[in-house]
Amino acid sequence: MFFLVCGVISLLFGVFLIYAKSDRIKNAQPFIAKLVGIESKTVKTGGGIRKVYRAVVSYKNGSISRTAHQHNYVYYDDHRERFGLGDEFTVYIDTRMGDVFYFPAEMRGRVDFGALAALLIGAFFVIAGIIFVSRGM
């Protein structure tokens, strides 16, 4: 029974993550933004240390000028190659969360790794729970 409960909770969490991302993308509006910087940090992945990057842009929402950062860090720094500091381009921003933006290529319906992992773990626990319950364990 424990496995079934954990599996259902994990499945619900995965569905919530998918819903949250699709809701942010559905409500995102295009804005013209200017690249003002690149944030970087060092992370430990597996046995190595890597540097990850995310773009920081400035945009106008009505008469208010705001700053937003890319929704996640990426392992490559091609922002300067694609745009260059000070270049203007289109980004998508959910005005409810005005400090996070998506590039147009990120607007496709991709599922996040966390949501996929939660769904797979939930499915495993549900299957294991069904097996244990059916055997009377």
Side-chain angles (χ1 to χ4, degrees):
M1 192 65 155
F2 172 75
F3 285 110
L4 280 174
V5 171
C6 288
V8 169
I9 289 172
S10 181
L11 285 173
L12 290 174
F13 183 66
V15 168
F16 171 75
L17 289 176
I18 291 171
Y19 170 76
K21 181 176 181 185
S22 67
D23 185 53
R24 282 191 308 255
I25 288 176
K26 180 180 71 171
N27 291 317
Q29 301 170 1
F31 288 93
I32 300 297
K34 180 170 46 170
L35 185 67
V36 294
I38 305 290
E39 291 181 357
S40 66
K41 71 177 183 178
T42 305
V43 295
K44 184 176 181 189
T45 58
I49 296 176
R50 296 184 76 171
K51 210 168 195 180
V52 291
Y53 307 91
R54 74 177 174 185
V56 179
V57 299
S58 171
Y59 71 98
K60 285 192 182 257
N61 187 3
S63 62
I64 301 170
S65 182
R66 299 196 59 181
T67 302
H69 57 270
Q70 191 174 358
H71 70 97
N72 64 348
Y73 284 91
V74 293
Y75 287 117
Y76 48 89
D77 181 14
D78 69 341
H79 303 98
R80 289 188 186 113
E81 294 173 10
R82 289 193 299 176
F83 306 113
L85 292 175
D87 285 354
E88 292 186 346
F89 49 90
T90 302
V91 296
Y92 288 86
I93 300 173
D94 183 358
T95 55
R96 298 174 299 177
M97 296 176 35
D99 61 339
V100 176
F101 77 89
Y102 295 90
F103 284 111
E106 297 169 330
M107 294 297 291
R108 291 187 219 111
R110 291 185 359 205
V111 175
D112 288 333
F113 177 73
L116 182 62
L119 290 173
L120 291 175
I121 290 169
F124 171 76
F125 275 110
V126 166
I127 292 169
I130 291 171
I131 291 171
F132 286 143
V133 167
S134 68
R135 293 187 179 180
M137 297 180 168

